[in-house]
Amino acid sequence: KQEVTQIPAALSVPEGENLVLNCSFTDSAIYNLQWFRQDPGKGLTSLLLIQSSQREQTSGRLNASLDKSSGRSTLYIAASQPGDSATYLCAVRRDTGFQKLVFGTGTRLLVSP
Amino acid sequence: DAGVTQSPTHLIKTRGQHVTLRCSPISGHKSVSWYQQVLGQGPQFIFQYYEKEERGRGNFPDRFSARQFPNYSSELNVNALLLGDSALYLCASSLTEWVIGSPLHFGNGTRLTVT
């Protein structure tokens, strides 16, 4: 059974810092991994998707890496801003056809001005 | 273009009642999935539908059921509500099952409170 863990559970940083969020998964047989952002009481916003054959993906100040063999992914946020404050979730998908995502419990990020 | 839309946004029900939640996928998306997110946890997979057929089911009791309509919208039904069913119910859509790199797009969810 796939289990996804995210560390730390919560993180508080001053504006401008670079930071790394960690995601680990127990079964390396994944199809892809997706990072999401969730604002309080809201749905999920897709940030980055990495296919199992890829090592990293970048979008603006965000960079996500994937090491499938070790069961790890990191989300790097450069020059953090107060608007980045949210919960960040990673999710892995096993199969090409079956779209079940297994989520971690998230990292709650607070960026102070 | 409109994103994934869900209705209602909030709902309060009593134990034992039945509830129907609705989801409209992004235009052109044929796959719809449902997730339950209890406060403080990550979303848990409930169902996936593609071309009106059930493709997968998570570890939820038979009180939970769903269907997908010809226009690809979907309904999630929960019977005999329990206090533990209180959660944010999220709907996600994607273009197809088979397009490499096709991400899931989520709606803002329906907040269900069972009293």
Side-chain angles (χ1 to χ4, degrees):
Chain A
K1 177 187 172 185
Q2 179 73 273
E3 292 183 1
V4 180
T5 304
Q6 291 187 245
I7 295 172
L11 183 63
S12 182
V13 300
E15 182 177 7
E17 276 203 6
N18 302 324
L19 53 100
V20 174
L21 307 181
N22 296 293
C23 171
S24 62
F25 45 95
T26 54
D27 185 348
S28 62
I30 65 169
Y31 177 59
N32 63 34
L33 182 146
Q34 200 166 349
W35 281 93
F36 294 90
R37 167 188 173 138
Q38 186 173 34
D39 293 291
K42 300 293 186 182
L44 309 181
T45 300
S46 179
L47 298 174
L48 291 164
L49 181 147
I50 310 177
Q51 292 298 128
S52 60
S53 58
Q54 298 174 321
R55 298 284 292 181
E56 65 179 307
Q57 284 284 335
T58 298
S59 176
R61 295 183 293 108
L62 305 179
N63 175 277
S65 66
L66 174 65
D67 184 343
K68 198 175 72 162
S69 61
S70 67
R72 294 180 184 177
S73 176
T74 61
L75 178 67
Y76 176 81
I77 303 177
S80 58
Q81 303 171 357
D84 295 331
S85 299
T87 296
Y88 291 80
L89 294 152
C90 71
V92 298
R93 174 178 164 184
R94 178 181 176 86
D95 297 309
T96 57
F98 184 30
Q99 288 188 336
K100 174 183 176 180
L101 296 184
V102 179
F103 283 85
T105 53
T107 293
R108 192 169 64 254
L109 173 65
L110 176 63
V111 181
S112 305
Chain B
D1 283 341
V4 177
T5 58
Q6 293 186 242
S7 63
T9 55
H10 294 84
L11 202 53
I12 299 175
K13 290 285 190 178
T14 304
R15 277 178 297 176
Q17 286 187 318
H18 162 269
V19 67
T20 298
L21 310 180
R22 295 179 174 83
C23 171
S24 293
I26 292 173
S27 178
H29 285 194
K30 298 181 179 181
S31 178
V32 171
S33 302
W34 287 94
Y35 287 78
Q36 180 196 65
Q37 186 178 23
V38 175
L39 195 63
Q41 299 183 15
Q44 297 290 317
F45 173 79
I46 310 175
F47 286 109
Q48 183 207 347
Y49 277 78
Y50 179 71
E51 290 282 12
K52 302 183 290 295
E53 291 188 2
E54 182 180 307
R55 290 301 208 193
R57 182 187 183 111
N59 188 25
F60 280 80
D62 291 343
R63 298 185 297 106
F64 288 77
S65 63
R67 55 179 175 168
Q68 187 177 33
F69 299 99
N71 66 353
Y72 303 110
S73 67
S74 178
E75 283 183 354
L76 175 69
N77 295 283
V78 186
N79 293 322
L81 285 167
L82 303 174
L83 294 178
D85 295 331
S86 296
L88 181 67
Y89 287 85
L90 296 163
C91 174
S93 75
S94 67
L95 191 58
T96 71
E97 297 178 308
W98 303 103
V99 173
I100 293 176
S102 177
L104 267 66
H105 299 270
F106 283 79
N108 282 330
T110 294
R111 171 71 64 187
L112 173 64
T113 301
V114 182
T115 62

